[in-house]
Amino acid sequence: NAGVTQTPKFQVLKTGQSMTLQCAQDMNHEYMSWYRQDPGMGLRLIHYSVGAGITDQGEVPNGYNVSRSTTEDFPLRLLSAAPSQTSVYFCASSSGTAMTYGYTFGSGTRLTVV
Amino acid sequence: GENVEQHPSTLSVQEGDSAVIKCTYSDSASNYFPWYKQELGKRPQLIIDIRSNVGEKKDQRIAVTLNKTAKHFSLHITETQPEDSAVYFCAATLDTGFQKLVFGTGTRLLVSP
């Protein structure tokens, strides 16, 4: 049981490049989400999903796309990377509401856009 | 939407002292308030939470209090130890649907031996 697995752990991109951050969970959790963490700003919700085929926007969705074709995977796509997207990205999953089941976070992806 | 403010941004204490971190929230409908601890380079981990129908909750050296009238909640750590050094985040959410957690900006706690 690996929990929530994020890859890669570190990535450097050039402005304008695209890439996909991978997130996989093996706990059969329905709820998955992506957060970005910036110094002095806490964690902010980018996109989330309440089940396969269902996604919605969070607080800071611009510049990011997501899809949820399976319960296990929730990739985050950067379409055209910008320096403002330099951040640490966390994927989280839950079997239900945060109050009842809590969130399990992945170990994070540190992204630098130059 | 919900907005969560957290203070202080940094907190330095001596080992054995108590530490208090305070958060205020804006949406009076919020009813769930978790606290996460993030050690350097690690993922956030839930350490304690409180629901709006409870005024205080304790777990060993950690306690959380909630004042719904004033819309603020606090984390209390007693008998601090060096391993308590980390960044602590508060959060708030409504217990409906997905429950979008809105996080505070974090408090860096440093416990000196």
Side-chain angles (χ1 to χ4, degrees):
Chain A
N1 188 333
V4 180
T5 303
Q6 289 185 238
T7 56
K9 293 189 181 302
F10 303 94
Q11 183 70 49
V12 178
L13 286 179
K14 294 183 178 179
T15 298
Q17 287 185 318
S18 63
M19 78 160 295
T20 299
L21 280 62
Q22 301 291 345
C23 176
Q25 52 89 10
D26 60 359
M27 300 173 284
N28 201 33
H29 284 177
E30 288 297 318
Y31 291 9
M32 296 187 74
S33 54
W34 278 101
Y35 287 85
R36 61 177 288 173
Q37 183 177 27
D38 302 294
M41 301 189 74
L43 293 99
R44 293 180 293 169
L45 181 64
I46 304 172
H47 285 285
Y48 67 95
S49 170
V50 298
I54 305 170
T55 63
D56 205 346
Q57 297 181 349
E59 181 184 359
V60 288
N62 291 340
Y64 307 95
N65 275 358
V66 293
S67 61
R68 184 96 180 270
S69 57
T70 67
T71 299
E72 294 77 20
D73 299 301
F74 190 44
L76 179 71
R77 298 182 184 84
L78 280 70
L79 306 175
S80 177
S84 60
Q85 294 178 304
T86 294
S87 187
V88 180
Y89 292 84
F90 286 99
C91 178
S93 75
S94 173
S95 57
T97 61
M99 178 184 293
T100 306
Y101 299 97
Y103 281 20
T104 299
F105 282 88
S107 57
T109 295
R110 184 174 295 274
L111 175 68
T112 302
V113 182
V114 297
Chain B
E2 177 64 276
N3 182 54
V4 177
E5 295 188 357
Q6 183 172 348
H7 300 280
S9 57
T10 59
L11 180 59
S12 295
V13 300
Q14 293 292 121
E15 182 176 0
D17 288 349
S18 295
V20 180
I21 302 170
K22 299 181 179 181
C23 290
T24 59
Y25 60 98
S26 61
D27 191 339
S28 58
S30 289
N31 60 359
Y32 175 62
F33 309 92
W35 287 87
Y36 285 80
K37 176 183 180 181
Q38 186 179 30
E39 296 177 354
L40 188 62
K42 301 290 184 62
R43 71 194 75 189
Q45 292 193 306
L46 179 69
I47 55 171
I48 195 167
D49 56 15
I50 191 167
R51 305 181 185 193
S52 60
N53 59 349
V54 176
E56 183 176 6
K57 183 177 179 180
K58 291 183 179 180
D59 183 2
Q60 299 183 333
R61 296 185 297 107
I62 294 174
V64 58
T65 59
L66 172 65
N67 183 327
K68 287 191 296 181
T69 302
K71 291 190 286 187
H72 67 70
F73 56 112
S74 300
L75 178 71
H76 304 253
I77 306 174
T78 59
E79 300 174 17
T80 54
Q81 301 168 3
E83 52 265 39
D84 293 328
S85 296
V87 178
Y88 292 81
F89 292 97
C90 62
T93 189
L94 296 173
D95 182 26
T96 56
F98 171 71
Q99 283 194 329
K100 301 176 186 179
L101 281 180
V102 178
F103 286 85
T105 51
T107 296
R108 183 173 300 278
L109 175 64
L110 176 62
V111 181
S112 302

